Amino acid sequence: MTSLLSTPEFWQYLSIPVIAALIGWTTNWLAIKMTFYPLEFVGNPPLLGWQGIIPSKARKMAAISVDATISKIGTVQEIFQQIDPEVLAAHIIYTVEPRTEEYVDELMLKEYPTFWENLPSSARNMVYDRVRKSTPQLVDNLVGDVSDNIEDLLDIKSMVIERLAKDKRLLNRIFIECGEVEFRFIINSGFYFGFLFGLVQMTVWYFYQSWWVLPFFGLMVGWATNWIALNVIFRPLHEKKVGPVRFQGLFLKRQQQVAESFCHIVTHEILTVGNIINAILEGPKGDRARNMVKKHIKPLVDETAGMGKALTQMAFGPTGFATLKNQVGQKAIEISQTSFNNPVFETDRARAVESIMVERMIALSSEEFQDLLRPCFQEDEIKLILVGAFLGFAAGICQLVFVFGGSVF
């Protein structure tokens, strides 16, 4: 035994499966890294260089992700109802009420500073009170109108796609966190599968030492370890039983865990109340939404003026009174966009939406559920396999030259 261990040929042969295992691990690790990084193209486009597959097709990948999940687990109306329009209205009122005097003073001093400063404090207090009393009903009406028209005002798909297309790091996070276990398996399995291929390679090399054997097996290891790992992750789609052993794709077995991870990111970082309100006011139907806000809030000026409306119109003039109404509408839009910068409220509403989305996502079929992660491997998958095969081939040549001295050339 001692003499065997001291024989150079023994260590040369033993190096074959070890190197094959390292090739499998390295090529799989590189394939995962090349899927997500770098975020921006590095090199001289279009051919000399690389950009992560997911970031390079951010908009397409975001669209696939939305189609595979959000579009199947919740409509715009359902999501908005989970946020709860009544809770939204109550939060707006809760946010605005303490600052009523500040908002009124800001508007009046901007438009009619002399009039407002010369107005007796009792008259100003009456205005403040009227605004406080009128605001809750106007806000309730506004939120109710938005809720009734939410399907037309908000395009959830476009909203999510735009956010993910702009934030490639967040897009990467969704795939990486949802597929963390699978990516780790792909990398580690490369080592194990590579070692098994290496044993076959070692046996072939023992009986047939031709120059092409090591490079060829290196190429096969680089290609096959990726292919096998992907199939173990996604196949079989449905659980199969062989004796006491049950088989199913690794990713598919984790449907509940993945659903919780995915829905948490989406609801807490994308479909937040603040983002939804901004998407309504700044989106394709933003003009209609802003006009809706103005329509419901402008009457506040009439109600505040009360019986003194005629005198107020005379003091400000017809144009001035209309300008004041418009300024009130603009202020309402501004308040709508800033009222939800409250982490506690955002988190509370995110959890409400998250609960229904997780429930729906767990109920997806295996065919539907695999579409969440499968596309990130399918996009340019052949490039990753070819890179792995090339690196395996190169490693085989190095093994031939540096371990066996290239004596078979």
Side-chain angles (χ1 to χ4, degrees), residues 189-258:
S189 68
F191 184 89
Y192 304 123
F193 291 140
F195 187 83
L196 293 176
F197 273 106
L199 293 177
V200 177
Q201 180 183 8
M202 181 179 67
T203 303
V204 173
W205 180 251
Y206 180 80
F207 291 102
Y208 186 70
Q209 296 186 5
S210 180
W211 69 268
W212 57 268
V213 172
L214 295 177
F216 174 76
F217 270 91
L219 182 150
M220 290 299 295
V221 168
W223 173 81
T225 51
N226 256 331
W227 185 85
I228 293 173
L230 290 176
N231 276 276
V232 171
I233 288 173
F234 296 106
R235 298 290 181 272
L237 267 177
H238 303 284
E239 186 178 82
K240 296 185 182 299
K241 186 177 180 182
V242 179
V245 182
R246 298 176 182 274
F247 295 96
Q248 189 178 18
L250 297 179
F251 181 67
L252 303 167
K253 290 169 67 175
R254 295 196 313 113
Q255 186 158 347
Q256 179 170 344
Q257 183 182 346
V258 172

Side-chain angles (χ1 to χ4, degrees), residues 67-275:
D67 286 337
T69 53
I70 296 174
S71 62
K72 296 178 181 177
I73 60 181
T75 65
V76 176
Q77 187 67 47
E78 287 174 327
I79 290 173
F80 198 73
Q81 289 304 314
Q82 283 298 118
I83 292 174
D84 197 335
E86 291 185 5
V87 173
L88 284 184
H91 178 75
I92 294 173
I93 295 166
Y94 172 80
T95 303
V96 170
E97 202 278 335
R99 302 180 64 181
T100 298
E101 295 183 13
E102 174 190 336
Y103 292 143
V104 172
D105 288 344
E106 178 186 337
L107 285 168
M108 295 303 295
L109 289 173
K110 178 181 178 181
E111 296 297 327
Y112 306 102
T114 304
F115 172 85
W116 190 247
E117 287 176 350
N118 290 324
L119 201 66
S121 59
S122 58
R124 288 202 297 269
N125 289 333
M126 185 181 69
V127 172
Y128 298 146
D129 289 340
R130 282 181 175 272
V131 170
R132 285 195 183 94
K133 290 177 181 178
S134 301
T135 299
Q137 186 60 54
L138 295 176
V139 170
D140 283 342
N141 294 341
L142 169 60
V143 174
D145 200 2
V146 170
S147 179
D148 292 339
N149 292 276
I150 192 65
E151 293 280 358
D152 185 53
L153 294 174
L154 178 63
D155 184 344
I156 286 283
K157 179 175 180 178
S158 296
M159 172 190 167
V160 177
I161 290 174
E162 286 300 321
R163 173 68 193 278
L164 292 178
K166 291 178 181 177
D167 192 344
K168 297 172 185 175
R169 196 177 301 277
L170 179 59
L171 178 62
N172 269 359
R173 264 191 60 208
I174 288 178
F175 286 110
I176 291 172
E177 291 191 17
C178 289
E180 179 183 7
V181 173
E182 287 67 38
F183 295 135
R184 188 165 60 247
F185 169 80
I186 288 176
I187 294 172
N188 293 335
S189 68
F191 184 89
Y192 304 123
F193 291 140
F195 187 83
L196 293 176
F197 273 106
L199 293 177
V200 177
Q201 180 183 8
M202 181 179 67
T203 303
V204 173
W205 180 251
Y206 180 80
F207 291 102
Y208 186 70
Q209 296 186 5
S210 180
W211 69 268
W212 57 268
V213 172
L214 295 177
F216 174 76
F217 270 91
L219 182 150
M220 290 299 295
V221 168
W223 173 81
T225 51
N226 256 331
W227 185 85
I228 293 173
L230 290 176
N231 276 276
V232 171
I233 288 173
F234 296 106
R235 298 290 181 272
L237 267 177
H238 303 284
E239 186 178 82
K240 296 185 182 299
K241 186 177 180 182
V242 179
V245 182
R246 298 176 182 274
F247 295 96
Q248 189 178 18
L250 297 179
F251 181 67
L252 303 167
K253 290 169 67 175
R254 295 196 313 113
Q255 186 158 347
Q256 179 170 344
Q257 183 182 346
V258 172
E260 292 171 355
S261 178
F262 175 82
C263 293
H264 182 82
I265 294 176
V266 169
T267 56
H268 286 71
E269 300 190 42
I270 302 176
L271 294 180
T272 64
V273 176
N275 288 344

